[in-house]
Amino acid sequence: MKPVIGLEIHIQLKTQTKMFCSCANAWEAEPNSKTCPICLGLPGAIPTINKLAVDLVVKTSQALNCAINNHSFFERKNYFYPDLPKGFQISQHRKPIGINGYLELGNAKKINITDVHLEEDTGKSMHTDEGTLLDFNKCGIPLMEIVSGPELESAEEAVEYSKKIYQLVRWLEVSECDMEKGQMRLELNISLRPEGSTDLPSYKVEVKNINSFKFLKNAIDYEIKRQTEIFDKGEKPTQENRGFDDVKGKTVSQREKEEAHDYRYFPEPDLPPLRLETKPLTEILPQEAFKKLLEKFKLPMAMAEQLTREKSVYQFFEKLIEEGMGPVGAGNIIINKPSVLQEDPKIINQKSKIKNQNLIKDDTIINNIVEKVLASNPKVVADYKAGKEETVKFLMGQVMKESKGQADPQLASQKLQELLKQ
Amino acid sequence: MELCDLTVLQAKERLEKGEITSVDLVSSCFERIEKVEKALNSFILLRKEEALGEAQEIDKARKSGKSLGSLAGIPYAAKDIFCTEGIETTAGSNILKGFIPPYESTVTKRLKEAGAILIGKTNCDAFAHGSSGENSDFGPTKNPYNPQYVPGGSSSGSGSSVAAGECLFATGTDTGSSIRLPAGFCNVVGLKPTYGLVSRYGVISMASSLDCPGVITRDIKDQALVLSVISGEDELDANTKGAKNIKNRGSDPFQGSDPNLKIGLPKEYFAKGIDPEVKEAIMQAAKFYENLGFKVKEISLPHTEYGVAAYYLICHSEVSSNLARNDGVRFSFSDRSGSDYQSVYFNSRSRGFGAEAKRRIMLGTYVLSAGYYEAYYERAARVRRLIKEDFDKAFDPKVNDVDVILTPVSPTPPFKLGEKVNDPLQMYLSDILLVGVNLSGIAGLSVPCGFTKSALPIGMQLIGPRFSDELLLEVGYQYEKEHQWIERKPEL
Amino acid sequence: MAKLARIELDKDEAPVFAQQLSRIVSYADKLQEVDTSKVEPLFNTTELVDVVRKDDQKYQEPLGQDKALDNAPEKDKGYFKIKQVL
């Protein structure tokens, strides 16, 4: 049996005010102090749309290769829960902002993005022995939901997908995605189907409450095991919602009071529909930046990966290149001394030039150093050849150590790549 | 005539001349209230001391020459569906008994800023469900012209209090009838403004795409004055974007309508079932306009018969969603006798809501539920467009080419309390005359146009396209200035 | 349906409700008479589009904790409180 996995990722947007009112989108504050009649759902209060939130979702949708619904609009998702003050959540259903996009994994596999839509967050409920305490500061914070198709087939793929979403959303400055603060939340849909089958399974298990990549992997591993055991008994797992208990490392059934949710979606009458005019994205995306580092600057993959984790890092790299630094040298400086981002690129370049003049550039010498390092580290070389490309960093470090920091990093790196290919 | 029977403009003039004080006005209203309120039950809440205090402040400010708002010192009442900060607001329902809004609706805020003095909250059908005034959890309101009869609803207390002289004007809301019908039944003036002209922020929602806040006044000049204060774009209500506020014409308004105006009489609105006295009164009004130089002609609004169906399917759905927030968790009536949180919902809502509210919520839930959305709610929305297009064609110079449409406000005069109009055809007709205007988002003005032989008021309705509110006031004024029905006060 | 709406009807309220329910069904049936195939649904009569507010514009002040909790049937140290949620 193979897993069939889809992910729904909820992301709180980086705005100053909430989605439908001008209360502050604040993290820590006295309970219920960042509330108004609108986000408290008091009688008579009606919403207004935060333009920035819409723009951020449009930007993300475009970055995920989605088609944009120019006539997108909001709808009411009706259900009862104490942390949902209006008794409905303003969300999207029939015409979400972005649809039919995709995200490419490292192995070039495309994961479909079914839709990217915009909604409001609910309040926070804390369960105590005497009852439930409710704080509505969080209620109404703009929430972007990215829904993937069921193309993920393993915990590794799921984690990679989530990490790429994390990277992309942070890169675009759409959210900080701080998972400890609940700014990015993962919801897992998982079922099993026989090897070779391409039909969608007739059931799916939803697991909520996952707030780290590690827990995502744990939850998936647990579910695969749990569902496999059920199949082995000749039965079929029930379609249900489960929660992830990170302490026990297992998923737990949540006996919902309501059977199937009938959300009774209808267009939100208080809000006229949107008219989205989309201009093409001008900023470079992490995947494009990564490609550029590999192809144009010929950087090793591990270095390219590190330099494209954060946009600020990549932008600083580009600044150093503008100053005339060699790409490998620039890359190394950034990686070895992250605080360098605070410094002036001109000065860095000058310092580096000075250092450069004393560098060993002789091909024979460098060749000898590299050969020596490779010979002394057979296991690492074997690992590299087996696919563990990050090990090149270690080898590079050894080369620099061996040369007492004097080897020209660009030439040394090239030589290393060359000899490793043999 | 007592001070409390003055129009707003008359009172304003005397205040500005120094002939009377605001305290005089407020006191006069409360004297009248003392006399008649027991019989009428127009109010859920009265605030005599506070109102007198505010009146004193305004009088003081006026004496010291401070510049004052355009309604300074005028006593008014607000339908208890407008959230008034620090003042109990119930929407006529037990579930909101004790609810003290921590914020002010835009309408009452603008009135406050203009210096108007709130003397109380008027009774209404609970959550505005109803068109007779009998559905309030706080007892029915009576018609001042005959307390055995209904005042019309849902802004029942607003209609009766203005007619009875308990205040000089009152705010109301109209979702399917609720300003026009009480105005028509109580011999006063009520405009259902264009949808989106007046802000709904702070108005307890019934059906969000249909609700229109407005006012009930003694005459049309007062309508213009008060509307000039409350209408116009509000950044807190997205549907008011671009709405310009109505101009206050002052005491010399309406230069005189263009005599080339055309009035349409939709044949579907004069179908069988209309009370002959009502029909006669409307036809007299039509004749009056003809004599003025207007052209009167018959038109057709072919989808009229589907209006009631479309209205209720849409209205109940939106209502069911809007009332979901009354869950006993964050405010007022809360029954916590059960053992778990679900019971808080069930018990609070089942015991707090009145029967009619409960039924409408459940019906709305049904209409929206899975499997029914397309056939019910969405289909009703399509028919809604057809109804609106009927009106568009009526007003289109290339099609039916009328400027204003004239109809009765109700097929019958006011009916007796508890009578619940027995003739299903008349019940249906009474909705039909009014809901098409709400479905289309256009404007409808109710103007007094006579009395029955049994001394019950009859109202006529003038309908115009979106943002024709000022035109309707003009046309209505042409009639009103030659017919002083307002002079015929109720015998209390 | 009562469960979805979180409402219970008393015994005497039920017959009127049944009547109203059948009327609603008849309304829906009546609308079937109309050919709506060429017409789009009308949800908002204003025909407004794209009404948005700027993120950094404050339209009103927050209520503050006290005012927010003012009407709460039960509260505790700044929170709204209700019975245990399972």
Side-chain angles (χ1 to χ4, degrees), chain A residues 37 40-45 48 76 78 80-82 85-86 88 94 257 262 264-267 269-270 272, chain B residues 83 99 102-103 200 202-203 208 235-236 239 321-322 324-325 329-331 341-342 345 365 368-370 373:
Chain A
L40 275 177
L42 294 185
T48 54
R76 292 191 184 177
N78 298 279
F80 285 95
Y81 202 72
K86 297 190 293 289
F88 59 85
R94 285 174 195 93
K257 301 280 153 131
D262 180 358
R264 305 185 296 286
Y265 285 100
F266 68 98
D270 293 329
Chain B
C83 284
F99 173 59
Y103 78 109
R200 285 186 304 115
V203 178
S208 313
E235 59 196 7
L236 290 167
N239 284 314
S321 177
N322 281 326
R325 64 189 67 193
V329 174
R330 288 153 296 107
F331 50 89
Y341 90 96
Q342 290 281 13
Y345 288 141
T365 307
L368 289 172
S369 56
Y373 175 82

Short mmCIF file of all heavy atoms in Angstrom, two decimals, chain A residues 37 40-45 48 76 78 80-82 85-86 88 94 257 262 264-267 269-270 272, chain B residues 83 99 102-103 200 202-203 208 235-236 239 321-322 324-325 329-331 341-342 345 365 368-370 373:
data_model
loop_
_atom_site.label_atom_id
_atom_site.label_comp_id
_atom_site.label_asym_id
_atom_site.label_seq_id
_atom_site.Cartn_x
_atom_site.Cartn_y
_atom_site.Cartn_z
N PRO A 37 -15.97 45.47 17.73
CA PRO A 37 -17.25 44.80 17.47
C PRO A 37 -17.19 43.86 16.27
O PRO A 37 -17.87 42.83 16.26
CB PRO A 37 -18.20 45.98 17.18
CG PRO A 37 -17.62 47.13 17.93
CD PRO A 37 -16.14 46.94 17.89
N LEU A 40 -15.20 40.65 17.16
CA LEU A 40 -15.89 39.97 18.25
C LEU A 40 -17.23 39.41 17.80
O LEU A 40 -17.89 38.70 18.55
CB LEU A 40 -16.16 40.93 19.41
CG LEU A 40 -15.04 41.13 20.41
CD1 LEU A 40 -15.46 42.16 21.44
CD2 LEU A 40 -14.72 39.81 21.13
N GLY A 41 -17.63 39.77 16.60
CA GLY A 41 -18.92 39.28 16.11
C GLY A 41 -20.10 39.83 16.88
O GLY A 41 -21.08 39.12 17.09
N LEU A 42 -20.03 41.08 17.30
CA LEU A 42 -21.16 41.66 18.02
C LEU A 42 -22.28 41.97 17.03
O LEU A 42 -22.04 42.20 15.85
CB LEU A 42 -20.73 42.94 18.74
CG LEU A 42 -19.72 42.76 19.87
CD1 LEU A 42 -19.47 44.08 20.57
CD2 LEU A 42 -20.18 41.72 20.86
N PRO A 43 -23.52 41.99 17.51
CA PRO A 43 -24.64 42.28 16.60
C PRO A 43 -24.42 43.62 15.92
O PRO A 43 -24.02 44.58 16.56
CB PRO A 43 -25.85 42.34 17.54
CG PRO A 43 -25.45 41.61 18.76
CD PRO A 43 -23.97 41.75 18.89
N GLY A 44 -24.70 43.67 14.63
CA GLY A 44 -24.64 44.92 13.89
C GLY A 44 -23.29 45.24 13.26
O GLY A 44 -23.19 46.15 12.44
N ALA A 45 -22.22 44.55 13.65
CA ALA A 45 -20.90 44.89 13.11
C ALA A 45 -20.70 44.18 11.78
O ALA A 45 -21.03 43.00 11.65
CB ALA A 45 -19.82 44.49 14.09
N THR A 48 -14.89 44.93 6.55
CA THR A 48 -14.35 45.59 5.35
C THR A 48 -13.02 44.91 5.01
O THR A 48 -12.32 44.46 5.91
CB THR A 48 -14.09 47.10 5.57
OG1 THR A 48 -13.26 47.28 6.71
CG2 THR A 48 -15.38 47.86 5.77
N ARG A 76 -19.52 32.97 3.05
CA ARG A 76 -19.65 32.62 4.46
C ARG A 76 -19.61 31.10 4.59
O ARG A 76 -20.32 30.39 3.91
CB ARG A 76 -20.97 33.13 5.01
CG ARG A 76 -21.04 34.64 5.09
CD ARG A 76 -22.25 35.06 5.88
NE ARG A 76 -22.40 36.50 5.89
CZ ARG A 76 -23.41 37.13 6.47
NH1 ARG A 76 -24.36 36.44 7.06
NH2 ARG A 76 -23.48 38.45 6.42
N ASN A 78 -20.52 28.55 7.23
CA ASN A 78 -21.33 28.56 8.45
C ASN A 78 -21.14 27.31 9.30
O ASN A 78 -21.36 26.21 8.85
CB ASN A 78 -22.83 28.65 8.06
CG ASN A 78 -23.16 29.92 7.31
OD1 ASN A 78 -23.34 30.98 7.89
ND2 ASN A 78 -23.23 29.81 5.99
N PHE A 80 -20.85 26.18 13.90
CA PHE A 80 -20.83 26.69 15.27
C PHE A 80 -19.59 26.20 16.01
O PHE A 80 -19.30 25.01 16.02
CB PHE A 80 -22.07 26.23 16.04
CG PHE A 80 -23.32 26.96 15.66
CD1 PHE A 80 -24.17 26.44 14.70
CD2 PHE A 80 -23.63 28.17 16.26
CE1 PHE A 80 -25.33 27.12 14.35
CE2 PHE A 80 -24.79 28.86 15.91
CZ PHE A 80 -25.63 28.33 14.94
N TYR A 81 -18.89 27.09 16.63
CA TYR A 81 -17.81 26.71 17.54
C TYR A 81 -17.49 27.94 18.37
O TYR A 81 -17.51 29.05 17.86
CB TYR A 81 -16.57 26.25 16.76
CG TYR A 81 -15.66 25.38 17.59
CD1 TYR A 81 -16.03 24.07 17.92
CD2 TYR A 81 -14.46 25.85 18.08
CE1 TYR A 81 -15.22 23.28 18.70
CE2 TYR A 81 -13.65 25.06 18.87
CZ TYR A 81 -14.03 23.78 19.17
OH TYR A 81 -13.22 22.99 19.96
N PRO A 82 -17.18 27.77 19.65
CA PRO A 82 -17.00 28.95 20.50
C PRO A 82 -15.94 29.94 20.02
O PRO A 82 -16.04 31.12 20.29
CB PRO A 82 -16.59 28.36 21.86
CG PRO A 82 -17.14 26.98 21.85
CD PRO A 82 -17.11 26.51 20.44
N PRO A 85 -16.84 33.63 16.51
CA PRO A 85 -17.90 34.45 17.10
C PRO A 85 -19.11 34.71 16.22
O PRO A 85 -20.22 34.78 16.73
CB PRO A 85 -17.19 35.77 17.43
CG PRO A 85 -15.90 35.74 16.73
CD PRO A 85 -15.56 34.32 16.46
N LYS A 86 -18.93 34.85 14.91
CA LYS A 86 -20.11 35.16 14.11
C LYS A 86 -20.95 33.92 13.84
O LYS A 86 -22.06 34.02 13.34
CB LYS A 86 -19.69 35.80 12.78
CG LYS A 86 -18.98 37.14 12.94
CD LYS A 86 -18.80 37.85 11.61
CE LYS A 86 -17.84 37.15 10.67
NZ LYS A 86 -16.44 37.27 11.14
N PHE A 88 -20.03 32.04 11.63
CA PHE A 88 -19.57 31.72 10.30
C PHE A 88 -18.19 32.34 10.14
O PHE A 88 -17.84 33.31 10.82
CB PHE A 88 -20.51 32.22 9.20
CG PHE A 88 -20.76 33.71 9.17
CD1 PHE A 88 -19.91 34.58 8.52
CD2 PHE A 88 -21.88 34.24 9.80
CE1 PHE A 88 -20.15 35.95 8.50
CE2 PHE A 88 -22.14 35.61 9.79
CZ PHE A 88 -21.26 36.48 9.14
N ARG A 94 -16.21 29.17 -4.00
CA ARG A 94 -16.37 28.93 -5.43
C ARG A 94 -15.33 29.64 -6.28
O ARG A 94 -14.95 29.16 -7.33
CB ARG A 94 -17.77 29.38 -5.88
CG ARG A 94 -18.82 28.40 -5.43
CD ARG A 94 -20.23 28.84 -5.70
NE ARG A 94 -21.11 28.00 -4.91
CZ ARG A 94 -21.55 28.29 -3.70
NH1 ARG A 94 -21.25 29.45 -3.17
NH2 ARG A 94 -22.29 27.46 -3.03
N LYS A 257 -18.66 16.29 17.35
CA LYS A 257 -20.08 16.25 17.70
C LYS A 257 -20.92 16.22 16.43
O LYS A 257 -21.96 15.62 16.35
CB LYS A 257 -20.46 17.50 18.51
CG LYS A 257 -19.69 17.68 19.79
CD LYS A 257 -20.23 16.81 20.88
CE LYS A 257 -19.14 16.50 21.87
NZ LYS A 257 -19.40 16.69 23.23
N ASP A 262 -21.90 20.59 7.07
CA ASP A 262 -22.57 21.22 5.95
C ASP A 262 -22.37 22.71 6.14
O ASP A 262 -23.02 23.33 6.97
CB ASP A 262 -24.06 20.86 5.95
CG ASP A 262 -24.80 21.52 4.79
OD1 ASP A 262 -24.17 22.27 4.03
OD2 ASP A 262 -26.01 21.28 4.66
N ARG A 264 -22.88 25.24 4.18
CA ARG A 264 -23.91 26.14 3.62
C ARG A 264 -23.29 27.43 3.08
O ARG A 264 -23.71 28.53 3.39
CB ARG A 264 -24.98 26.46 4.68
CG ARG A 264 -25.59 25.21 5.28
CD ARG A 264 -26.73 25.50 6.23
NE ARG A 264 -26.33 26.25 7.41
CZ ARG A 264 -25.64 25.77 8.43
NH1 ARG A 264 -25.23 24.52 8.41
NH2 ARG A 264 -25.35 26.54 9.47
N TYR A 265 -22.24 27.27 2.29
CA TYR A 265 -21.57 28.43 1.71
C TYR A 265 -22.53 29.29 0.90
O TYR A 265 -23.33 28.77 0.12
CB TYR A 265 -20.47 28.00 0.74
CG TYR A 265 -19.22 27.47 1.38
CD1 TYR A 265 -18.98 26.10 1.47
CD2 TYR A 265 -18.24 28.33 1.86
CE1 TYR A 265 -17.82 25.61 2.02
CE2 TYR A 265 -17.06 27.85 2.42
CZ TYR A 265 -16.85 26.49 2.49
OH TYR A 265 -15.69 26.00 3.03
N PHE A 266 -22.45 30.62 1.08
CA PHE A 266 -23.12 31.53 0.14
C PHE A 266 -22.32 32.82 0.11
O PHE A 266 -21.59 33.12 1.06
CB PHE A 266 -24.59 31.75 0.51
CG PHE A 266 -24.85 32.52 1.78
CD1 PHE A 266 -25.14 33.87 1.73
CD2 PHE A 266 -24.82 31.89 3.01
CE1 PHE A 266 -25.39 34.59 2.91
CE2 PHE A 266 -25.06 32.60 4.19
CZ PHE A 266 -25.34 33.95 4.14
N PRO A 267 -22.44 33.60 -0.98
CA PRO A 267 -21.59 34.78 -1.12
C PRO A 267 -21.83 35.77 0.02
O PRO A 267 -22.97 36.00 0.42
CB PRO A 267 -22.02 35.39 -2.45
CG PRO A 267 -22.67 34.28 -3.20
CD PRO A 267 -23.28 33.39 -2.17
N PRO A 269 -22.77 38.82 1.68
CA PRO A 269 -23.51 39.99 1.19
C PRO A 269 -22.93 41.33 1.65
O PRO A 269 -23.17 42.34 1.00
CB PRO A 269 -24.93 39.80 1.77
CG PRO A 269 -24.85 38.71 2.75
CD PRO A 269 -23.56 38.00 2.64
N ASP A 270 -22.16 41.33 2.74
CA ASP A 270 -21.62 42.60 3.23
C ASP A 270 -20.43 43.07 2.42
O ASP A 270 -19.98 44.20 2.61
CB ASP A 270 -21.19 42.45 4.70
CG ASP A 270 -22.36 42.23 5.65
OD1 ASP A 270 -23.46 42.74 5.37
OD2 ASP A 270 -22.17 41.55 6.68
N PRO A 272 -18.77 43.56 -1.40
CA PRO A 272 -18.80 43.45 -2.87
C PRO A 272 -17.64 42.60 -3.36
O PRO A 272 -16.61 42.51 -2.72
CB PRO A 272 -18.64 44.91 -3.32
CG PRO A 272 -19.05 45.74 -2.16
CD PRO A 272 -18.69 44.95 -0.94
N CYS B 83 -27.67 49.84 17.29
CA CYS B 83 -26.82 49.75 18.48
C CYS B 83 -26.50 51.14 18.99
O CYS B 83 -25.95 51.96 18.27
CB CYS B 83 -25.52 49.01 18.14
SG CYS B 83 -25.73 47.24 18.00
N PHE B 99 -28.47 43.33 26.59
CA PHE B 99 -27.29 43.58 25.77
C PHE B 99 -27.05 45.08 25.71
O PHE B 99 -27.89 45.84 25.27
CB PHE B 99 -27.50 43.03 24.36
CG PHE B 99 -26.39 43.38 23.41
CD1 PHE B 99 -25.07 43.01 23.67
CD2 PHE B 99 -26.66 44.09 22.24
CE1 PHE B 99 -24.05 43.34 22.80
CE2 PHE B 99 -25.64 44.43 21.35
CZ PHE B 99 -24.33 44.05 21.63
N PRO B 102 -21.20 48.08 23.22
CA PRO B 102 -20.06 48.93 23.56
C PRO B 102 -19.71 49.88 22.43
O PRO B 102 -18.62 50.46 22.43
CB PRO B 102 -18.93 47.92 23.79
CG PRO B 102 -19.29 46.77 22.90
CD PRO B 102 -20.77 46.74 22.79
N TYR B 103 -20.59 50.01 21.45
CA TYR B 103 -20.29 50.88 20.33
C TYR B 103 -21.58 51.45 19.75
O TYR B 103 -22.68 51.00 20.06
CB TYR B 103 -19.49 50.12 19.26
CG TYR B 103 -20.31 49.20 18.38
CD1 TYR B 103 -20.53 49.51 17.05
CD2 TYR B 103 -20.84 48.01 18.87
CE1 TYR B 103 -21.27 48.67 16.23
CE2 TYR B 103 -21.58 47.17 18.07
CZ TYR B 103 -21.80 47.50 16.74
OH TYR B 103 -22.52 46.67 15.93
N ARG B 200 -25.21 50.60 7.19
CA ARG B 200 -25.77 49.56 8.05
C ARG B 200 -24.86 49.24 9.23
O ARG B 200 -25.18 48.34 10.01
CB ARG B 200 -25.99 48.27 7.25
CG ARG B 200 -27.17 48.29 6.31
CD ARG B 200 -27.40 46.93 5.66
NE ARG B 200 -26.24 46.47 4.97
CZ ARG B 200 -25.54 45.39 5.29
NH1 ARG B 200 -25.89 44.64 6.31
NH2 ARG B 200 -24.49 45.05 4.59
N GLY B 202 -23.62 48.84 12.61
CA GLY B 202 -24.25 49.00 13.92
C GLY B 202 -25.74 48.74 13.90
O GLY B 202 -26.40 48.85 14.93
N VAL B 203 -26.28 48.39 12.74
CA VAL B 203 -27.69 48.01 12.67
C VAL B 203 -27.73 46.50 12.73
O VAL B 203 -27.14 45.82 11.90
CB VAL B 203 -28.33 48.49 11.36
CG1 VAL B 203 -29.78 48.04 11.29
CG2 VAL B 203 -28.24 50.00 11.24
N SER B 208 -28.75 40.82 5.14
CA SER B 208 -27.74 41.82 4.80
C SER B 208 -27.88 42.45 3.43
O SER B 208 -27.52 43.61 3.26
CB SER B 208 -26.35 41.19 4.89
OG SER B 208 -26.23 40.47 6.08
N GLU B 235 -17.13 54.57 5.69
CA GLU B 235 -16.03 53.65 5.43
C GLU B 235 -16.22 52.31 6.15
O GLU B 235 -15.57 51.33 5.83
CB GLU B 235 -14.71 54.28 5.83
CG GLU B 235 -14.65 54.67 7.29
CD GLU B 235 -13.52 55.64 7.61
OE1 GLU B 235 -12.86 56.12 6.67
OE2 GLU B 235 -13.31 55.89 8.80
N LEU B 236 -17.13 52.27 7.11
CA LEU B 236 -17.35 51.03 7.85
C LEU B 236 -18.38 50.12 7.18
O LEU B 236 -18.62 49.02 7.64
CB LEU B 236 -17.81 51.34 9.28
CG LEU B 236 -16.71 51.95 10.15
CD1 LEU B 236 -17.30 52.52 11.44
CD2 LEU B 236 -15.68 50.90 10.50
N ASN B 239 -20.80 48.54 1.34
CA ASN B 239 -21.83 48.74 0.33
C ASN B 239 -22.28 50.18 0.17
O ASN B 239 -23.13 50.47 -0.67
CB ASN B 239 -23.05 47.85 0.64
CG ASN B 239 -22.79 46.39 0.26
OD1 ASN B 239 -22.28 46.11 -0.82
ND2 ASN B 239 -23.11 45.49 1.15
N SER B 321 -28.03 32.93 8.85
CA SER B 321 -26.60 33.11 9.03
C SER B 321 -26.30 34.27 9.98
O SER B 321 -25.43 34.18 10.85
CB SER B 321 -25.95 33.35 7.67
OG SER B 321 -24.58 33.60 7.81
N ASN B 322 -27.06 35.37 9.83
CA ASN B 322 -26.80 36.55 10.66
C ASN B 322 -27.12 36.30 12.12
O ASN B 322 -26.53 36.94 12.99
CB ASN B 322 -27.63 37.73 10.17
CG ASN B 322 -27.01 38.40 8.94
OD1 ASN B 322 -25.80 38.44 8.83
ND2 ASN B 322 -27.84 38.89 8.05
N ALA B 324 -26.64 33.54 13.71
CA ALA B 324 -25.81 32.49 14.30
C ALA B 324 -24.94 33.04 15.42
O ALA B 324 -24.55 32.30 16.33
CB ALA B 324 -24.93 31.85 13.22
N ARG B 325 -24.64 34.33 15.38
CA ARG B 325 -23.74 34.87 16.40
C ARG B 325 -24.40 34.94 17.78
O ARG B 325 -23.71 35.12 18.78
CB ARG B 325 -23.24 36.25 15.99
CG ARG B 325 -24.30 37.31 15.89
CD ARG B 325 -23.72 38.57 15.27
NE ARG B 325 -23.35 38.35 13.88
CZ ARG B 325 -22.60 39.18 13.17
NH1 ARG B 325 -22.13 40.28 13.74
NH2 ARG B 325 -22.31 38.92 11.92
N VAL B 329 -22.49 32.89 24.13
CA VAL B 329 -21.10 32.78 24.57
C VAL B 329 -20.50 34.13 24.96
O VAL B 329 -19.86 34.25 25.99
CB VAL B 329 -20.24 32.14 23.46
CG1 VAL B 329 -18.76 32.15 23.85
CG2 VAL B 329 -20.69 30.72 23.19
N ARG B 330 -20.72 35.13 24.10
CA ARG B 330 -20.03 36.39 24.34
C ARG B 330 -20.92 37.49 24.85
O ARG B 330 -20.45 38.52 25.32
CB ARG B 330 -19.34 36.89 23.06
CG ARG B 330 -18.14 36.09 22.68
CD ARG B 330 -17.88 36.12 21.18
NE ARG B 330 -18.95 35.51 20.43
CZ ARG B 330 -19.84 36.15 19.72
NH1 ARG B 330 -19.79 37.44 19.64
NH2 ARG B 330 -20.80 35.53 19.08
N PHE B 331 -22.24 37.33 24.71
CA PHE B 331 -23.11 38.38 25.22
C PHE B 331 -24.47 37.81 25.54
O PHE B 331 -24.88 36.77 25.03
CB PHE B 331 -23.21 39.54 24.22
CG PHE B 331 -23.54 39.14 22.81
CD1 PHE B 331 -24.85 39.03 22.40
CD2 PHE B 331 -22.53 38.88 21.90
CE1 PHE B 331 -25.15 38.67 21.09
CE2 PHE B 331 -22.83 38.51 20.59
CZ PHE B 331 -24.14 38.40 20.19
N TYR B 341 -20.74 22.28 26.13
CA TYR B 341 -20.82 23.56 25.43
C TYR B 341 -21.91 23.57 24.37
O TYR B 341 -22.51 24.60 24.10
CB TYR B 341 -19.47 23.94 24.82
CG TYR B 341 -19.23 23.44 23.41
CD1 TYR B 341 -19.47 24.25 22.31
CD2 TYR B 341 -18.75 22.16 23.18
CE1 TYR B 341 -19.23 23.81 21.02
CE2 TYR B 341 -18.53 21.70 21.89
CZ TYR B 341 -18.77 22.53 20.82
OH TYR B 341 -18.54 22.07 19.55
N GLN B 342 -22.18 22.43 23.77
CA GLN B 342 -23.25 22.38 22.76
C GLN B 342 -24.58 22.80 23.38
O GLN B 342 -25.41 23.44 22.75
CB GLN B 342 -23.38 20.97 22.19
CG GLN B 342 -22.22 20.55 21.33
CD GLN B 342 -22.31 21.12 19.92
OE1 GLN B 342 -23.10 22.01 19.64
NE2 GLN B 342 -21.50 20.59 19.03
N TYR B 345 -25.33 26.44 23.37
CA TYR B 345 -25.94 26.91 22.12
C TYR B 345 -27.42 26.58 22.09
O TYR B 345 -28.26 27.45 21.89
CB TYR B 345 -25.29 26.23 20.92
CG TYR B 345 -23.89 26.67 20.61
CD1 TYR B 345 -22.94 25.76 20.19
CD2 TYR B 345 -23.52 28.00 20.70
CE1 TYR B 345 -21.66 26.16 19.88
CE2 TYR B 345 -22.24 28.40 20.40
CZ TYR B 345 -21.32 27.48 19.99
OH TYR B 345 -20.05 27.87 19.69
N THR B 365 -31.65 27.83 7.21
CA THR B 365 -30.65 26.76 7.23
C THR B 365 -30.99 25.73 6.17
O THR B 365 -30.12 25.22 5.46
CB THR B 365 -30.63 26.11 8.62
OG1 THR B 365 -30.44 27.12 9.60
CG2 THR B 365 -29.52 25.11 8.72
N LEU B 368 -30.23 26.84 2.52
CA LEU B 368 -28.81 26.88 2.15
C LEU B 368 -28.15 25.51 2.20
O LEU B 368 -27.01 25.38 1.77
CB LEU B 368 -28.06 27.80 3.11
CG LEU B 368 -28.33 29.29 2.96
CD1 LEU B 368 -27.65 30.05 4.10
CD2 LEU B 368 -27.79 29.79 1.63
N SER B 369 -28.85 24.53 2.75
CA SER B 369 -28.13 23.29 3.03
C SER B 369 -27.77 22.54 1.76
O SER B 369 -28.29 22.77 0.68
CB SER B 369 -28.94 22.42 3.98
OG SER B 369 -30.20 22.16 3.45
N ALA B 370 -26.81 21.64 1.97
CA ALA B 370 -26.23 20.91 0.86
C ALA B 370 -27.31 20.28 0.01
O ALA B 370 -28.24 19.69 0.49
CB ALA B 370 -25.31 19.82 1.40
N TYR B 373 -28.78 24.41 -2.37
CA TYR B 373 -28.29 25.75 -2.67
C TYR B 373 -28.62 26.20 -4.08
O TYR B 373 -29.16 27.28 -4.29
CB TYR B 373 -26.77 25.81 -2.44
CG TYR B 373 -26.18 27.12 -2.84
CD1 TYR B 373 -26.23 28.22 -1.99
CD2 TYR B 373 -25.58 27.29 -4.09
CE1 TYR B 373 -25.69 29.44 -2.36
CE2 TYR B 373 -25.04 28.50 -4.47
CZ TYR B 373 -25.11 29.57 -3.61
OH TYR B 373 -24.59 30.78 -3.97
#
